[in-house]
Amino acid sequence: MRFDSVEPSALRTELADTAAYAEEAGLAWISVMDHYWQMMRAGFPASDPMLEAYTTLGYLAGRTETVQLGALVTGVTYRYPGLLAKIVATLDVLSGGRATLGIGAAWYEEEHAGLGVPYPALKTRFEMLEEAVKIARQMYSDDDGPFDGKHFQLAETLNSPQPLSKPEIMIGGSGEKKTLRLVAQYADACNLFASTSDDLRHKLDILRAHCDDVGRDFSTIRITTLHGSEKLIAGDVAGFVEELRPLAEQGVDTVILRPPATSLAAWMRDAVTPAVAPVSEL
């Protein structure tokens, strides 16, 4: 979510209105970025507003009743994994069982340096990611014993209250050797970055191969992907539906829209809502 056109005093109203329109339209998912700063690599000033993700999700939990809530996605470096699992369990309890734990290997080095957060090498971050997912799975189970990893050591994985519904674990990213293998091994869902239909098909073939290697049923993984909303903004609902059709045919379960740099509430009301009924027929 971007808020560069919204005054800080109006952010809570903008969020609440956006969530209300989303639920009224019957959308399945609301996600927020988990970053400290706005994304310079996407062409935005780092100084543009960026709300802290889990405070925002907690607010949205209190303003909604049906949509799934999660970060897309939390960098593994941002929070100690036991604390992250606890935060998401709390979100699940207070939302009535609607939390997803979205996590990835992290990439935004500038914001780490800016706020003094360690940013280890990529190989280390992937090792940390695997351990973080294992810790979350353990904390959402009956096992409250220790966890002794290479990077994280927990003396006791006590997590009370337990989440109402075991939070879905989503791993974000499309790296073919490491990320998609971790999806096959541990994740309930993935978020894939694919620029074309052929690219998406290739990523899904790689994921299927990893599933075969580890003995995982590919159909048990929820496939999500990011998608632009330019046609919606232009009012071309039919064109938008046709863009989604090949994604549905390839097995994508959820399309996550990138909002424009305008009022989120107005975009949800005027562009997204009219598309929901046609899309639901795919």
Side-chain angles (χ1 to χ4, degrees), residues 65-139:
E65 295 292 338
T66 60
V67 292
Q68 194 78 6
L69 300 168
L72 192 69
V73 290
T74 288
V76 69
T77 51
Y78 293 171
R79 297 167 188 82
Y80 287 112
L83 175 60
L84 176 62
K86 176 70 175 179
I87 290 170
V88 174
T90 299
L91 177 65
D92 194 75
V93 169
L94 297 183
S95 67
R98 295 183 284 128
T100 286
L101 195 170
I103 192 167
W107 59 268
Y108 199 165
E109 185 173 4
E110 295 90 343
E111 65 180 1
H112 287 75
L115 296 191
V117 177
Y119 187 72
L122 182 60
K123 178 179 183 295
T124 299
R125 300 200 309 275
F126 270 107
E127 292 172 350
M128 293 167 63
L129 175 59
E130 182 170 8
E131 289 187 15
V133 173
K134 288 181 177 179
I135 288 167
R137 288 165 63 96
Q138 182 168 327
M139 289 184 65

Side-chain angles (χ1 to χ4, degrees), residues 1-2 29 56 67 73 88 127 152 165 178 210 226-227 230 250 267:
M1 292 183 174
R2 292 192 60 222
W29 161 273
T56 303
V67 292
V73 290
V88 174
E127 292 172 350
F152 303 111
S165 63
K178 293 184 178 180
H210 284 309
L226 289 168
H227 193 78
E230 290 80 7
Q250 290 186 55
W267 171 69

